[in-house]
Amino acid sequence: MSKIKGAVVVDVDRCKGCNLCVVACPTQTLALTTNEVNHKGYVYSYMAQPDSCIGCSSCAIVCPDGCISVYKTKPATAKPAVVADKVEIVSGVAPLVNNVPVEEEREVVLMKGNEAIAHAAVRCGCDGYFGYPITPQSEVLETLAELKPWETTGMVVLQAESEVAAINMLYGGGGTGKRVMTSSASVGIALMQEGISYMAGAEVPGVIVNVQRGGPGLGTIQPSQSDYNQATRGGGNGDYNVIVLAPNSVQEMADFVDQAFELAFKYRTPVMILTDGVIGQMMEKVVLPPYKPRRTEAELVAECPWASNGNGLKQRGVNVVTSLELDPVEMEKKNLQLQAKFKKIAENEVRYETVGCEDADYLIVAFGSAARISEKAMSLARERGIKVGLFRPITLWPFPEAEIREISKTMKGVLTMEINAGQMVFDVRAAVESQIPVAHFGRLGGIVPDPEEVVNALVEKLVK
Amino acid sequence: MSELNNNTAPQQNEELQNIVCPENLVHSKPALLNDQTMHYCPGCSHGVVHKLIAEVIEEMGMAEKTIGVSPVGCAVFAYRYIDIDWQEAAHGRAPAVATASKRLWPDRLVFTYQGDGDLGCIGTAEAIHALNRGENITIIFVNNAIYGMTGGQMAPTTLLGMKTATCPDGRQADLHGYPIKMTELAAQLDGTAYVTRQSVHSVPAIRKAKKAIRKAFENSMAGKGSNLVEIVGTCSSGWKMTPEKANAWMEQHMFAHYHVGDLKDTEVNREPVKL
């Protein structure tokens, strides 16, 4: 047998000449080149004294770039090398259950909007809820804690340490393909914008409920609609939009949860249910949606082949959920793809409702709780002989711009009624293209306008 | 693989060629660490830690059941090098991301890979609370006492007196506060199962660090609670030293503040160990 016992092969193109292998070598076998460099311009490691190599692998162990392979002649008695442990790794963490509770009669029940959101989440196959208490939405998490869905459907419920953590849990859960939801109120939603932007950028589905309260800052715990701009413009950094659904009743609170999940997964994007303290706290009759089982792993993988959960890695290759791309050409391409997706959403997902617009001279545009008040204002105005119709956008983004433009053609004026200082009014003005006057009426500070005020504002600002 | 391009005599070369054959291979890059050249600077500790993680996942046979969460910082591109599924988290939020992944996929191996700025500064809340809840995840925490990616600014773990771009005269307690010991903090939390501080500057240290990672990953899968493996590392570029000198400086200065060893192992003792 030759006196040479070992040999080192350096992947020259990976080597960065850091010298750590040279230092680690106990037999001074290795050295760095002095004149020669690799294709990246680095000097590299080589066997300067091949005679002395004992195949100890020290160089390969310390190499930060994994560029060294070590070979060693083995004595005849050597045991075969163990390539990998054939140990079956069994998880000690209990698997999630997935039982659909026996369906009770779908009866009419009385509950708060926030409670309806929680019940609907469990019933529509939601896999996880992550939230942080804040008024006026805390009943969502409280109701889930009482329903204990982890014992029935297997839905995970977790009180996070902050809204920042909650939205990042949403990003994490959604990134693995699960149906996940969070809820908060204005101040907390402001904190979540980082995560919402990440979700939009990395195309991660998820449902965010915003039970709005007044601002700015800590503001008030009373209802408001002053997050309209934040919700409909994306809210965080970068060019993106979030689909925004605005329920106007406890029934819609329940119904929109499943619709929001469907949209979120159809387009791989975050969807917001933008409601407020009125709808969240108000008790109304509601028929809860029927139970739908959570998806099995096979169903999830079929629906979300992009998700980062390890399933089928060898067949499909690595899945990476990220919003990062440093190559500007690639990043522009990615942004254009996102914009194309948003355009598709805008073309296909506009939802709205009209009431009494056929013979109307004046139009009130209002969403959510303001629409409920405006409906009453409409009938009061008609009692006074003013023909008023109501247009209620259900999707605030995409905004029903063309529909408002069309319907306003026969109107003399439009009043937007929002519980804010005037935010949607700009979208309505853009929609009607300055053909008719568009005025705004709203109350601030947590005051909910009464229908009489709305009629008075309409008369004063438009009818005269 | 390159040729045997050594300055050796023809006879020697022939002997070497005889050794270099598949049956004699005793050590090579783990297959999970792919062929892409890593963007790290020469001698960077991240490369060794990546390699160890790839080796452990490979040896546990968990490649198709692992979810890695990469941070913001130098290791943001960890997902380019280890061939498993990844999610890239916002700065500091990796433990929150991992919390959801693990709770929703209890049979998966879920780990985060975070630097000192990510874990010890902007993400302190997420790290502490995930560890305290006893999430069955592992946090790999690479502490090189500097912000590498943004160009060498002060980190929460920067040692007193250590010069960085944002403390050019050296870190001073009255101006900048004290270097934080996240791992000691983590050891105090009831949710943690295994909390250890390791390094990757020498062959024995690397072997120990690998064992620590393996133990942490096994704990995560066994549902024993949260695991934190701190790796005290170097940043030759940020420290403005050669990799060799950086290792020596680390041993002399970093280890004096960040003592290496197991701080808590619930298999042995419930209470944290004072190092």
Side-chain angles (χ1 to χ4, degrees), chain A residues 377-442:
Chain A
M378 195 183 97
S379 50
L380 289 178
R382 282 178 179 260
E383 281 170 22
R384 288 205 219 166
I386 310 161
K387 286 181 185 166
V388 175
L390 173 67
F391 188 102
R392 175 169 77 96
I394 293 172
T395 51
L396 301 183
W397 192 90
F399 191 69
E401 190 178 340
E403 291 76 7
I404 289 178
R405 182 181 306 129
E406 191 52 39
I407 211 161
S408 67
K409 280 180 181 162
T410 57
M411 305 283 175
K412 292 177 183 161
V414 182
L415 181 78
T416 71
M417 208 293 258
E418 314 167 54
I419 311 179
N420 59 35
Q423 298 190 14
M424 182 178 65
V425 65
F426 293 99
D427 285 337
V428 176
R429 280 188 189 135
V432 306
E433 291 169 340
S434 308
Q435 295 301 306
I436 50 170
V438 177
H440 162 265
F441 174 72

Side-chain angles (χ1 to χ4, degrees), chain A residues 2-14 16-20 23-24 36 40 42 44 46-48 50-51 55-58 60-74 83-85 87 89-96 127-128 130 156-162 164-165 168-173 175-178 180 194 198 204 297 300-301 307-326, chain B residues 1-8 12 15-16 18-29 32-48 51-52 58-68 72 76-77 79-80 82-91 93 95-108 122 125-127 129-130 133 135-136 200-203 206-207 214 218 220-224 242-244 247:
Chain A
S2 153
K3 62 177 179 169
I4 295 176
K5 297 266 176 29
V8 167
V9 176
V10 178
D11 184 345
V12 169
D13 287 343
R14 275 179 87 94
K16 295 171 186 159
C18 75
N19 204 42
L20 291 178
V23 178
E36 279 182 61
K40 291 216 164 157
Y42 287 119
Y44 54 86
Y46 75 104
M47 286 176 86
D51 270 0
C56 72
S57 300
S58 294
I61 290 168
V62 298
C63 175
D65 289 286
C67 47
I68 298 177
S69 296
V70 181
Y71 297 82
K72 191 177 182 178
T73 50
K74 296 176 189 81
V83 180
D85 311 1
V87 183
I89 305 291
V90 183
S91 172
V93 186
L96 300 173
D127 295 303
F130 305 91
V156 167
V157 178
L158 182 63
Q159 179 169 336
E161 62 270 34
S162 66
V164 177
N168 280 284
M169 288 170 185
L170 208 69
Y171 173 62
T176 66
K178 293 283 186 180
V180 284
E194 169 194 70
Y198 264 71
V204 169
E297 185 165 336
L300 183 150
V301 169
S308 172
N309 53 45
N311 188 309
L313 179 107
K314 277 188 190 146
Q315 293 79 48
R316 61 160 158 82
V318 170
N319 277 348
V320 177
V321 174
T322 181
S323 55
L324 176 68
E325 177 54 67
L326 292 183
Chain B
M1 283 293 157
S2 69
E3 297 294 304
L4 279 168
N5 51 351
N6 304 306
N7 310 325
T8 47
Q12 269 182 333
E15 280 175 300
L16 282 174
N18 288 336
I19 300 171
V20 179
C21 54
E23 61 270 26
N24 286 342
L25 183 66
V26 288
H27 198 111
S28 66
K29 175 176 79 59
L32 272 187
L33 192 70
N34 62 35
D35 290 334
Q36 268 203 70
T37 307
M38 290 188 271
H39 69 285
Y40 301 115
C41 306
C44 178
S45 310
H46 279 303
V48 182
K51 201 169 61 173
L52 295 184
E58 216 166 84
E59 286 165 16
M60 287 173 74
M62 291 295 285
E64 287 190 281
K65 288 208 160 204
T66 298
I67 302 168
V72 168
V76 65
F77 288 126
Y79 58 73
R80 286 186 177 171
I82 305 176
D83 284 344
I84 52 166
D85 277 359
W86 286 93
Q87 187 157 1
E88 196 283 304
H91 201 17
R93 319 292 175 228
V97 173
T99 292
S101 307
K102 181 65 180 182
R103 288 208 177 212
L104 292 161
W105 297 83
D107 67 338
R108 297 306 201 261
I122 196 166
E126 286 76 11
H129 285 282
R133 282 192 302 262
E135 301 294 345
N136 291 301
V200 289
H201 67 297
S202 68
V203 174
I206 292 168
R207 289 193 202 278
R214 171 89 189 220
E218 282 177 352
S220 311
M221 290 313 295
K224 289 184 178 171
T242 63
E244 196 185 335
N247 274 341

Side-chain angles (χ1 to χ4, degrees), chain A residues 101-315:
Chain A
V102 180
E103 185 71 63
E104 297 148 27
E105 188 99 1
R106 289 188 64 204
E107 57 183 20
V108 180
V109 287
L110 184 72
M111 63 171 68
K112 284 186 176 188
N114 287 341
E115 293 165 345
I117 290 267
H119 282 273
V122 180
R123 285 166 173 258
C124 73
C126 179
D127 295 303
Y129 171 91
F130 305 91
Y132 187 77
I134 180 172
T135 309
Q137 66 78 52
S138 300
E139 293 85 355
V140 181
L141 178 54
E142 286 169 6
T143 306
L144 285 169
E146 277 187 19
L147 289 173
K148 297 186 176 53
W150 54 91
E151 290 176 356
T152 53
T153 71
M155 176 183 169
V156 167
V157 178
L158 182 63
Q159 179 169 336
E161 62 270 34
S162 66
E163 287 90 350
V164 177
I167 195 69
N168 280 284
M169 288 170 185
L170 208 69
Y171 173 62
T176 66
K178 293 283 186 180
R179 287 176 154 231
V180 284
M181 185 176 109
T182 187
S183 64
S184 188
S186 308
V187 193
I189 295 289
L191 267 177
M192 288 186 181
Q193 293 304 333
E194 169 194 70
I196 298 173
S197 172
Y198 264 71
M199 289 173 77
E203 299 192 79
V204 169
V207 174
I208 302 135
V209 181
N210 181 359
V211 186
Q212 293 168 94
R213 54 188 264 181
L218 196 52
T220 168
I221 58 169
Q222 302 299 329
S224 169
Q225 295 184 322
S226 52
D227 297 351
Y228 176 89
N229 280 347
Q230 187 194 54
T232 58
R233 267 63 188 167
N237 62 304
D239 286 310
Y240 74 93
N241 285 100
V242 170
I243 299 175
V244 184
L245 300 174
N248 76 338
S249 63
V250 174
Q251 186 62 56
E252 283 193 349
M253 292 282 261
D255 294 342
F256 283 8
V257 175
D258 192 49
Q259 290 180 31
F261 273 121
E262 293 302 320
L263 287 168
F265 278 82
K266 183 176 176 187
Y267 295 105
R268 280 185 63 185
T269 198
V271 177
M272 180 177 283
I273 296 177
L274 186 74
T275 180
D276 59 55
V278 176
I279 310 284
Q281 293 296 331
M282 176 169 78
M283 286 184 100
E284 263 191 320
K285 286 186 295 185
V286 57
V287 178
L288 294 171
Y291 276 104
K292 187 159 111 177
R294 292 194 306 114
R295 289 165 308 165
T296 61
E297 185 165 336
E299 288 166 347
L300 183 150
V301 169
E303 190 185 10
C304 311
W306 49 266
S308 172
N309 53 45
N311 188 309
L313 179 107
K314 277 188 190 146
Q315 293 79 48

Side-chain angles (χ1 to χ4, degrees), chain A residues 197 200-203 232-243 267-269 330-348 397-398:
Chain A
S197 172
E203 299 192 79
T232 58
R233 267 63 188 167
N237 62 304
D239 286 310
Y240 74 93
N241 285 100
V242 170
I243 299 175
Y267 295 105
R268 280 185 63 185
T269 198
E330 285 305 309
M331 194 51 183
E332 184 178 52
K333 213 186 284 174
K334 191 176 166 171
N335 264 286
L336 290 173
Q337 280 166 1
L338 280 178
Q339 290 305 316
K341 177 171 86 174
F342 296 138
K343 189 163 175 257
K344 199 171 149 200
I345 297 171
E347 285 166 0
N348 294 296
W397 192 90

Side-chain angles (χ1 to χ4, degrees), chain B residues 232-248:
Chain B
V232 182
T234 60
C235 177
S236 337
S237 301
W239 295 2
K240 299 180 172 56
M241 294 174 198
T242 63
E244 196 185 335
K245 277 195 182 142
N247 274 341

